[in-house]
Amino acid sequence: MTTPKIVSHEDWLEARKAFLKKEKAFTKERDALSAARRDLPMVIVEKDYVFDTPEGSKTLADLFGPHPQLLIYHFMFGETWQEGCPSCSFWADNFDRLDVHLAARDTAFVAVSNASLEKLENYKKRLNWSFNWVSTAQNGHGNGFGADFGVTFPDRKDPTGLGYNYTGRVFGEEMPGVSAFLKLPDGRIAHTYSTYGRGVDGLNMAYNFLDLTAMGRHEGDLPQPMAWVRRRDVYGAEG
């Protein structure tokens, strides 16, 4: 944070009102961007994905439940990992229990990871989460969902050629993202949108709250922005 500029209440109010005009303009731009996102073309999902869930094997279509829309959070939890990614865990703390509200607007929400269902269930219990979480592993083999949707890069290799976030580059074996799907009247499933990297910031209310403060996220002096993040049950237990 730069040195605070202390002013009178009148001067503060004048500056605040001037900034409010910028906020309103940004809100209108965001609404327009959201409208443009809804107008993007869609592509039919041709592959038959099957997931391991607490209720048994389910297809991608099954994950919709009774809803026409499905949002999937690509949670970083590799096949050989013993714990989920701390950053994705940070995000999960922010979106846990939102599924009921999303369902009220005809949308299902599911997290998907490559680790076995047993690992996911144990980690979910540890952190007291309630959202639906399914595994790509079926009979010991992954279904390729993460790789196909640009978040899994086995051995840091890119099977699609698109790279992470359409950059053509690979940054890690597992990466975060969100994908949206629509079930068409004829039963086919369309992939409508995916976002990665900073595109998932909107799901993190902790960051949104910090962005309202004078110090903001104050991550600039860290070796990497999220170096401070810990799993929720680790804060205060280190050292």
Side-chain angles (χ1 to χ4, degrees):
M1 183 177 68
T2 58
T3 303
K5 182 181 180 182
I6 306 300
V7 299
S8 67
H9 178 73
E10 290 75 16
D11 288 344
W12 178 89
L13 190 58
E14 181 179 352
R16 179 65 189 93
K17 287 182 176 179
F19 189 72
L20 180 59
K21 294 180 180 179
K22 295 182 179 181
E23 288 181 320
K24 286 181 177 293
F26 171 74
T27 297
K28 291 180 179 179
E29 289 181 7
R30 182 179 60 192
D31 289 343
L33 187 67
S34 294
R37 181 184 299 113
R38 293 191 292 272
D39 286 339
L40 286 171
M42 307 175 187
V43 62
I44 298 299
V45 179
E46 303 287 357
K47 189 173 178 178
D48 296 323
Y49 297 101
V50 179
F51 302 87
D52 195 12
T53 85
E55 294 78 33
S57 296
K58 287 189 177 183
T59 64
L60 181 62
D62 292 332
L63 299 185
F64 283 77
H67 309 294
Q69 298 191 126
L70 171 66
L71 284 169
I72 285 181
Y73 181 80
H74 301 282
F75 195 118
M76 297 167 62
F77 200 147
E79 292 181 16
T80 62
W81 298 12
Q82 298 307 309
E83 295 180 297
C85 165
S87 295
C88 282
S89 300
F90 178 32
W91 256 254
D93 284 336
N94 284 267
F95 63 63
D96 187 41
R97 292 178 172 83
L98 286 183
D99 51 347
V100 175
H101 299 289
L102 294 172
R105 303 313 302 150
D106 304 318
T107 304
F109 178 86
V110 179
V112 172
S113 296
N114 293 321
S116 68
L117 182 64
E118 180 182 10
K119 286 184 179 180
L120 302 186
E121 287 289 286
N122 288 337
Y123 193 63
K124 178 179 176 179
K125 181 178 180 181
R126 168 184 162 184
L127 292 172
N128 195 31
W129 291 327
S130 65
F131 57 84
N132 291 327
W133 199 358
V134 304
S135 170
T136 63
Q138 277 285 305
N139 301 317
H141 301 285
N143 65 11
F145 185 77
D148 292 344
F149 285 90
V151 293
T152 297
F153 303 92
D155 299 321
R156 292 179 174 262
K157 295 180 180 178
D158 181 7
T160 68
L162 295 175
Y164 181 62
N165 202 15
Y166 314 109
T167 62
R169 299 168 60 194
V170 175
F171 303 94
E173 188 172 322
E174 296 279 348
M175 300 298 289
V178 178
S179 292
F181 302 88
L182 178 68
K183 185 177 288 187
L184 303 178
D186 62 6
R188 292 183 300 166
I189 296 172
H191 174 214
T192 64
Y193 181 73
S194 284
T195 188
Y196 311 96
R198 291 294 303 275
V200 302
D201 268 17
L203 297 179
N204 195 311
M205 286 310 300
Y207 267 154
N208 283 301
F209 272 113
L210 288 172
D211 287 343
L212 301 178
T213 69
M215 292 174 61
R217 304 182 187 187
H218 53 286
E219 296 176 331
D221 294 332
L222 299 176
Q224 57 94 6
M226 300 191 71
W228 64 274
V229 173
R230 303 290 184 271
R231 296 172 181 86
R232 188 178 69 247
D233 59 352
V234 175
Y235 286 113
E238 300 172 312

